[in-house]
Amino acid sequence: MGKKNSETDTLGSSSSGARRVGGLLGTLIIVVLIVLVFGFLAIRTRTAAHWLESYLGDRLGVPVSIEKSSIAWPYDLVIEGLRTAEEYDGPDFSAVELRIRWTRRFQTSIELRRAMLVMRSTPEGEWLPAIFAALGPLQNIEEISAVTDSFEQKVVVSITDSSVKWEDEHERDLASATGIRFSMMPLQLPTRTIVHYHLYIRRADGGGGYMLRGVEREWLAGEDNTYMELMRRENQPGSQAAGAEGRDDGATDPPEGDAL
């Protein structure tokens, strides 16, 4: 009899413990749902937009404005109409959409759609906006690995339908790249992390009428080698000026390296 009571007490205790654990999990799920719903609603307010403008402005080093912020499935932060603020008297930066998410590997994923960046040199030879200064003197595609070295193993990046323009201190055009698609993704190997890059540029214009179309590169980068090429494609370089003068081939000698 005592044994049966003991078994009954044990079963009852186990059942009670299971109910408590189930209740705790249920409470946690409800709390998470409340937090998610609150974030979903709060991020749409103008107060949240002002906070995001201040936060992004501090990170970018220039005042910015945004048109709209929201939460999208599966809980991505979506910022629409990002651009430098009207009161900012400097080179423009804008993006139709900026999307930030956290991946299953706890990496940050950043997606930019239809971004436009203007790089402008200063009389002292520096480049603005300062946060993108490393892109100012960029001459070779291989240098992109070095430019992104500080965050490449932590961040997944995807950029689509975007452009970059380089200007001198008097706002005269130096070079441009349009129709840019770029991706950067860390890959975890058994002994190290490497980064996969892919870049496509629909059109790249440089000084003296130099032009390239359909530039495409795919490569890997690691600690010991910042450029391990997987694929290289590009059309023949052409010159608008030469074409206007009636040359049949329209070709010019390309500058050294893969100039952007």
Side-chain angles (χ1 to χ4, degrees), residues 45-253:
T45 65
R46 192 57 206 164
T47 300
H50 284 313
W51 182 86
L52 287 170
E53 288 172 347
S54 176
Y55 180 85
L56 292 172
D58 289 343
R59 296 302 181 275
L60 294 172
V62 297
V64 301
S65 64
I66 63 175
E67 294 179 4
K68 180 183 176 182
S69 57
S70 60
I71 298 294
W73 178 260
Y75 213 68
D76 299 348
L77 172 60
V78 180
I79 297 173
E80 299 177 58
L82 171 66
R83 63 177 305 111
T84 50
E86 292 184 3
E87 65 270 19
Y88 175 64
D89 185 22
D92 291 332
F93 169 75
S94 66
V96 169
E97 182 180 286
L98 167 63
R99 183 180 291 249
I100 303 173
R101 69 164 62 99
W102 287 267
T103 68
R104 288 176 294 180
R105 296 181 179 181
F106 301 102
Q107 294 172 324
T108 303
S109 173
I110 299 175
E111 297 180 12
L112 273 174
R113 185 169 64 87
R114 292 178 62 186
M116 187 277 292
L117 170 65
V118 176
M119 297 297 306
R120 185 177 301 159
S121 64
T122 67
E124 294 74 29
E126 299 178 351
W127 289 91
L128 300 174
I131 192 171
F132 301 115
L135 293 176
L138 188 67
Q139 293 294 321
N140 299 304
I141 288 176
E142 290 88 339
E143 296 175 13
I144 293 176
S145 300
V147 170
T148 59
D149 182 64
S150 61
F151 61 91
E152 62 185 6
Q153 296 188 8
K154 303 175 183 177
V155 181
V156 177
V157 176
S158 175
I159 301 173
T160 56
D161 196 19
S162 298
S163 63
V164 181
K165 182 170 70 170
W166 289 264
E167 298 178 342
D168 65 15
E169 59 188 277
H170 304 294
E171 303 183 29
R172 293 176 298 203
D173 292 351
L174 298 174
S176 65
T178 57
I180 297 173
R181 296 198 308 267
F182 174 76
S183 65
M184 182 184 79
M185 178 178 292
L187 302 174
Q188 185 63 53
L189 300 182
T191 58
R192 68 183 65 190
T193 299
I194 61 173
V195 184
H196 175 267
Y197 291 86
H198 181 265
L199 173 67
Y200 174 81
I201 303 174
R202 185 175 62 245
R203 173 170 170 166
D205 292 276
Y210 176 75
M211 179 179 66
L212 282 175
R213 291 182 181 273
V215 179
E216 189 169 10
R217 298 285 188 276
E218 185 178 11
W219 71 97
L220 299 174
E223 293 181 359
D224 303 326
N225 191 339
T226 59
Y227 190 81
M228 295 172 277
E229 189 168 84
L230 301 177
M231 182 266 290
R232 168 189 292 252
R233 295 174 185 162
E234 65 187 37
N235 289 344
Q236 291 298 314
S239 170
Q240 293 173 317
E245 294 172 3
R247 287 184 54 180
D248 293 332
D249 58 358
T252 61
D253 294 328

